[in-house]
């Protein structure tokens, strides 16, 4: 299949579209700014309360007449531009494909050679997030603002979180000898001047494989190599090895020595962070120590290394050198793992996106300028990106579309086939956006017999109003049909000639219903959940004890308790914090509008990550290895991203 790198088939149509949009944009921008000035966020309200001179109100009163005058003057040009823009949408392609050409040895082609379908199993990591990158006036309805700055910061945080080395934490204690949940945090010291990440003596050990200790003898396969620790991967650099941290449980016990520590290696001090809760995260400058957009911040937020003051002339660290671990990372495995008899994977609330993130699915990337900024940041880690997905005008759907689907997909592996479908059954405000489903086929390896190893991923965003269950169920029906059609139309295999081996089949996105609310019973019982497994649910209306909601209470987005990833992580680890800062279904029976229904569940989990256990290569099995709820985008969106790591293994390997 040919992937479209431009939105129009020829340069003439592209130029005409640029001219028409240039005529429309001033009017669009003025309407957005004018509406935004009358929808303050809670952060802006607090600023105004602290401003005795009310300068912001004065500026609003001063500039509103100017905006109105310019808006009236721009209307004729916008109307003329619309006459050209609207018919052009019939020739527009449903997505734009972007590939970074200078990835060198770290690119997708090199990743394909890592797995031949034999030997140890292969793990693949997926993440999904609703980032609410709407025009500024619409984003303010969700208590978010400054869409362009948020887009850049979101891209930086995802990139820096995914580019960290992957860490496994072992806890040895008299009462607990099993491993803790696999840590998504970065415990490795910053890179030295020679570009090589250095081990911390006595604390961190580098190894090419990860062995599990005290866990029933279970030994998973070698993990994929980790990306560089900096925000921008170095071209041609090979992935870094994983790190193991072993923590003694008895006070005064001596930590195990690292194997072959590098001479002169030491932990460096992290930059000191500024006061928390004073400004939104997306207002911080690049490289600011308080922002996770800086490359160093992803290392220092969960662990701070402190080198001893006594350093010998040869560069050896002093005797008092330590590696200080935050208490939120060092948890007992018994409290975090296997709370259900059938559960055999790790789960956690993480302050970072998982290391070695392979596939990223985003929703609500509606604003075109924000999508471009986000794409540029994500290209620092992902080689292949699809953005500006959807249709405009009256093309492909029943009603006029002002916004695209808001879907964006990023991958480290080559994309083979793409399909997009717009949901025809929408109403109210949702009808203005071309919400739909994006289907992708990616190649993740090849066998020694030159058979392609592929995976299928679907990303979607369902109808939003909570009362419209019938519409969402209809969309789930369409999603199932489109999934089957895409698999059938893109498969080049047959029983007699298996040219391709399917490693995984994943469906993710913002489904806009949860598994606990009484108003969502129809969706909870949909047949999609019989064909795809939800790692967080036990059955219709019943969640696993560790599953939490992914929709935040917008009124508390800028509170000091949750304004940083670390703070939000700590809050969500307690039941009281979840009840205060997560959104819960409203109670209709109580008669009190907006009253939270606290009888069931840990908040509204509306962002899903599902995987199929059937329809894969007959000799292979895909199992969940890790599942996490991520707080790294705190202050930048009203949703919690979720991530899942699948391990694909063969029956021969298990035997």
């Amino acid at each position: 299949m040919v992937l479209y790198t431009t939105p129009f088939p020829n340069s003439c149509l592209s130029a005409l579209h640029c001219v028409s949009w240039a005529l429309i944009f001033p009017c669009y921008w003025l309407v957005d700014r004018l509406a935004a000035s009358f929808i303050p966020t809670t952060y802006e309200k607090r600023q105004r309360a602290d401003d005795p001179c009310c300068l912001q109100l004065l500026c609003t009163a001063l500039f509103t007449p100017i905006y109105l005058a310019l808006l009236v003057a721009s209307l004729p040009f916008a109307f003329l531009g619309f006459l050209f823009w609207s018919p052009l949408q019939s020739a527009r392609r449903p997505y734009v494909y972007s590939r970074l050409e200078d990835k060198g040895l770290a690119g997708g082609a090199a990743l394909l050679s890592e797995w031949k379908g034999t030997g140890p199993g292969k793990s693949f990591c997926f993440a999904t997030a609703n980032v609410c990158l709407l025009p500024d006036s619409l984003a303010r309805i969700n208590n978010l603002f400054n869409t362009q700055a948020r887009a850049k910061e979101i891209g930086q945080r995802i990139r820096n979180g995914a580019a960290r080395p992957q860490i496994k934490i072992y806890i040895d204690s008299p009462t607990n000898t099993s491993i803790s949940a696999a840590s998504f945090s970065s415990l490795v010291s910053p890179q030295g001047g020679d570009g090589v990440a250095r081990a911390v003596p006595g604390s961190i050990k580098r190894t090419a494989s990860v062995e599990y200790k005290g866990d029933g003898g279970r030994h998973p396969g070698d993990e994929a190599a980790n990306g560089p620790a900096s925000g921008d991967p170095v071209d041609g650099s090979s992935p870094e090895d994983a790190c193991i941290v072993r923590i003694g449980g008895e006070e005064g016990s001596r930590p195990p020595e690292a194997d072959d520590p590098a001479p002169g290696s030491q932990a460096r001090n992290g930059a000191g962070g500024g006061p928390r809760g004073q400004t939104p995260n997306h207002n911080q400058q690049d490289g600011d120590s308080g922002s996770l957009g800086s490359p160093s911040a992803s290392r220092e937020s969960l662990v701070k290394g402190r080198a001893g003051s006594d350093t010998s002339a040869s560069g050896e660290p002093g005797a008092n050198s330590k590696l200080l671990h935050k208490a939120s990372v060092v948890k007992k495995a018994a409290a975090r793992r296997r709370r259900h008899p059938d559960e055999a994977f790790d789960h956690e609330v993480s302050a970072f996106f998982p290391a070695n993130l392979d596939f990223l699915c985003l929703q609500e990337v509606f604003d075109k300028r924000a999508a471009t900024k986000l794409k540029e940041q994500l290209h620092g880690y992902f080689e292949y990106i699809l953005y500006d997905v959807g249709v405009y005008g009256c093309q492909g759907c029943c009603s006029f579309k002002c916004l695209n689907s808001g879907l964006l997909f990023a991958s480290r592996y080559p994309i083979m086939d793409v399909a997009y479908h717009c949901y025809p059954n929408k109403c109210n405000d949702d009808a203005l956006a071309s919400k739909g489903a994006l289907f992708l086929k990616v190649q993740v390896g090849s066998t020694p017999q030159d058979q392609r190893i592929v995976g299928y991923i679907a990303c979607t965003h369902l109808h939003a109003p909570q009362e419209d269950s019938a519409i969402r169920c209809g969309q789930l029906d369409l999603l199932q049909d489109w999934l089957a059609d895409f698999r059938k139309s893109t498969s080049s295999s047959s029983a007699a000639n298996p040219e391709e081996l399917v490693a995984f089949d994943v469906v993710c996105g913002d489904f806009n219903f949860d598994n606990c609310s009484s108003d969502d019973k129809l969706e909870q019982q949909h047949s999609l959940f019989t064909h795809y497994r939800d790692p967080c649910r036990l059955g219709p209306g019943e969640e696993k004890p560790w599953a939490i909601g992914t929709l935040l209470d917008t009124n508390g987005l800028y509170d000091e308790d949750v304004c940083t990833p670390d703070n939000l992580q700590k809050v969500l680890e307690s039941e009281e914090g979840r009840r205060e800062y997560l959104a819960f279904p409203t109670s209709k029976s109580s008669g009190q509008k907006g009253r939270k229904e606290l009888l069931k569940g840990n908040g509204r989990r509306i962002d899903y990550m599902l995987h199929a256990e059937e329809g894969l290569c007959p000799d292979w099995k895909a199992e969940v290895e890790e599942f996490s709820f991520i707080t790294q985008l705190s202050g930048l969106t009203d949703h919690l991203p979720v991530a899942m790591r699948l391990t694909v293994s063969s029956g021969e390997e298990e035997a």
Side-chain angles (χ1 to χ4, degrees):
M1 178 180 179
V2 177
L3 298 175
Y4 304 129
T5 57
T6 58
F8 291 93
N10 58 65
S11 57
C12 180
L13 292 178
S14 296
L16 190 58
H17 178 266
C18 290
V19 172
S20 63
W21 182 246
L23 294 172
I24 296 173
F25 181 75
C27 181
Y28 160 80
W29 186 85
L30 288 166
V31 169
D32 185 43
R33 294 310 310 154
L34 194 61
S37 63
F38 293 99
I39 311 176
T41 63
T42 56
Y43 172 74
E44 291 170 326
K45 290 177 180 178
R46 292 170 188 171
Q47 278 191 322
R48 293 176 183 178
D50 295 337
D51 183 10
C53 299
C54 298
L55 293 178
Q56 290 184 340
L57 292 175
L58 183 62
C59 290
T60 300
L62 179 63
F63 284 104
T64 297
I66 299 175
Y67 283 154
L68 285 173
L70 293 175
L71 177 61
V72 172
S74 66
L75 284 175
F77 298 98
F79 179 74
L80 179 63
F82 181 79
L83 294 179
F84 288 97
W85 178 85
S86 184
L88 281 174
Q89 303 313 305
S90 60
R92 184 186 174 278
R93 292 159 171 170
Y95 62 84
V96 179
Y97 169 73
S98 176
R99 180 184 178 185
L100 192 64
E101 298 291 347
D102 57 349
K103 294 293 289 185
L105 297 177
L111 291 174
L112 294 182
S113 63
E114 292 182 359
W115 190 39
K116 298 297 183 181
T118 58
K122 177 74 172 178
S123 67
F124 300 96
C125 191
F126 308 81
T128 182
N130 183 317
V131 291
C132 199
L133 292 178
L134 289 152
D136 200 47
S137 56
L138 299 179
R140 287 169 177 268
I141 298 175
N142 292 341
N143 201 25
L144 295 163
F145 67 106
N146 207 343
T147 295
Q148 306 306 316
R150 281 195 300 115
K152 183 178 180 180
E153 180 74 6
I154 286 171
Q156 288 176 340
R157 294 194 186 188
I158 296 174
R159 179 192 66 192
N160 292 325
R164 299 169 298 105
Q166 186 180 356
I167 309 301
K168 296 289 184 180
I169 300 179
Y170 295 78
I171 300 178
D172 298 320
S173 71
T175 58
N176 178 28
T177 58
S178 64
I179 72 163
S180 71
S183 172
F184 289 116
S185 63
S186 178
L187 303 183
V188 72
S189 61
Q191 290 183 344
D194 56 358
V196 179
R198 303 189 181 279
V200 179
S203 299
I204 295 180
K205 169 188 173 183
R206 290 201 171 279
T207 180
S209 63
V210 177
E211 296 182 355
Y212 285 68
K213 172 180 169 185
D215 192 22
R218 185 167 62 96
H219 297 272
D222 294 353
E223 295 281 334
N226 295 283
S230 60
D232 297 310
V234 180
D235 293 341
S237 61
S238 61
E240 295 187 21
D241 294 332
C243 296
I244 292 180
V245 179
R246 288 185 172 85
I247 303 172
E250 297 181 2
E251 185 178 357
S253 61
R254 184 174 179 268
E257 294 292 332
D259 291 351
D260 300 328
S265 60
Q266 63 181 13
R268 297 183 182 178
N269 284 311
R276 295 178 175 176
Q278 295 184 359
T279 59
N281 293 324
H282 53 274
N283 282 350
Q284 296 169 341
Q285 300 297 321
D286 294 350
D288 201 328
S289 62
S291 168
L292 289 182
S294 62
S296 61
S298 61
R299 304 186 186 94
E300 49 189 55
S301 186
L302 293 184
V303 133
K304 296 184 180 296
R306 184 176 64 186
S309 56
D310 301 330
T311 304
S312 63
S314 61
E316 293 288 337
N320 294 328
S321 298
K322 296 179 181 179
L323 185 67
L324 302 179
H325 304 275
K326 290 189 66 172
S328 60
V329 179
V330 186
K331 294 179 179 295
K332 290 187 177 181
R336 298 173 58 173
R337 305 187 63 223
R338 304 188 181 185
R339 298 185 181 182
H340 189 269
D342 297 331
E343 185 179 357
F345 59 88
D346 300 324
H347 48 80
E348 69 172 347
V349 179
S350 171
F352 292 96
F353 276 84
N356 287 343
L357 179 61
D358 296 307
F359 307 102
L360 175 68
C361 298
L362 300 180
Q363 302 86 48
E364 291 200 11
V365 189
F366 288 118
D367 189 90
K368 283 187 176 182
R369 292 183 297 151
T372 302
K373 290 181 174 65
L374 180 60
K375 171 186 70 78
E376 292 172 352
Q377 294 297 325
L378 292 178
H379 261 322
Y381 180 78
F382 295 100
E383 184 174 355
Y384 311 93
I385 294 179
L386 288 176
Y387 68 105
D388 199 10
V389 179
V391 296
Y392 296 90
C394 295
Q395 311 304 320
C397 291
C398 313
S399 57
F400 187 86
K401 306 300 177 187
C402 299
L403 300 171
N404 60 24
S405 70
L407 302 177
L408 183 146
F409 176 77
S411 171
R412 296 174 65 202
Y413 289 88
I415 300 172
M416 299 178 63
D417 289 283
V418 180
Y420 161 78
H421 295 282
C422 178
Y423 291 125
N425 52 339
K426 296 188 291 290
C427 64
N428 301 328
D429 297 341
D430 262 25
L432 298 176
S434 59
K435 284 186 176 181
L438 180 66
F439 305 92
L440 305 111
K441 178 182 177 181
V442 295
Q443 183 177 358
V444 295
S446 59
T447 68
Q449 294 77 30
D450 292 330
Q451 292 174 290
R452 288 189 298 267
I453 305 175
V454 301
Y456 288 92
I457 305 170
C459 177
T460 188
H461 190 185
L462 300 184
H463 190 67
Q466 190 174 357
E467 63 274 9
D468 295 333
S469 292
I471 293 179
R472 278 189 295 275
C473 284
Q475 292 177 345
L476 289 174
D477 292 337
L478 290 172
L479 178 62
Q480 275 192 289
D481 294 340
W482 292 338
L483 282 166
D485 292 343
F486 183 71
R487 285 283 300 265
K488 185 177 179 180
S489 63
T490 59
S491 175
S492 59
S493 297
S494 63
N497 184 26
E499 297 179 1
E500 295 178 345
L501 304 177
V502 179
F504 56 80
D505 186 355
V506 171
V507 178
C508 62
D510 182 355
F511 287 9
N512 273 312
F513 66 86
D514 61 63
N515 193 40
C516 289
S517 299
S518 57
D519 297 335
D520 296 333
K521 286 185 177 180
L522 283 177
E523 299 96 315
Q524 295 164 10
Q525 299 171 1
H526 196 273
S527 59
L528 178 70
F529 295 101
T530 63
H531 298 94
Y532 289 84
R533 181 188 173 194
D534 181 358
C536 297
R537 100 180 203 154
L538 293 172
E542 188 178 3
E543 294 278 80
K544 292 185 178 179
W546 51 265
I548 65 172
T550 60
L551 186 61
L552 298 173
D553 188 339
T554 56
N555 293 325
L557 292 181
Y558 304 111
D559 288 0
E560 186 176 358
D561 290 342
V562 295
C563 68
T564 67
D566 282 346
N567 288 3
L568 182 57
Q569 179 194 30
K570 293 176 183 178
V571 164
L572 296 182
E573 287 174 344
S574 67
E575 183 177 357
E576 296 78 10
R578 291 193 292 269
R579 293 203 182 279
E580 183 174 358
Y581 287 103
L582 290 181
F584 282 75
T586 55
S587 176
K588 293 182 178 180
S589 59
S590 65
Q592 300 180 20
K593 184 178 179 181
R595 182 178 180 270
K596 289 184 177 181
E597 181 184 357
L598 303 179
L599 302 179
K600 195 175 185 181
N602 281 325
R604 297 201 67 206
R605 185 176 64 89
I606 64 176
D607 297 272
Y608 287 77
M609 185 75 72
L610 316 177
H611 71 98
E613 296 179 320
E614 300 177 354
L616 310 181
C617 178
D619 296 331
W620 292 354
K621 181 169 61 174
E623 295 181 319
V624 178
E625 179 186 345
E626 300 164 352
F627 197 96
S628 63
F629 300 88
I630 302 163
T631 64
Q632 193 170 3
L633 301 185
S634 64
L636 301 176
T637 180
D638 57 341
H639 285 244
L640 286 179
V642 296
M644 175 180 69
R645 193 180 299 274
L646 280 180
T647 297
V648 181
S649 58
S650 64
E652 296 179 358
E653 179 187 341
E654 292 180 358

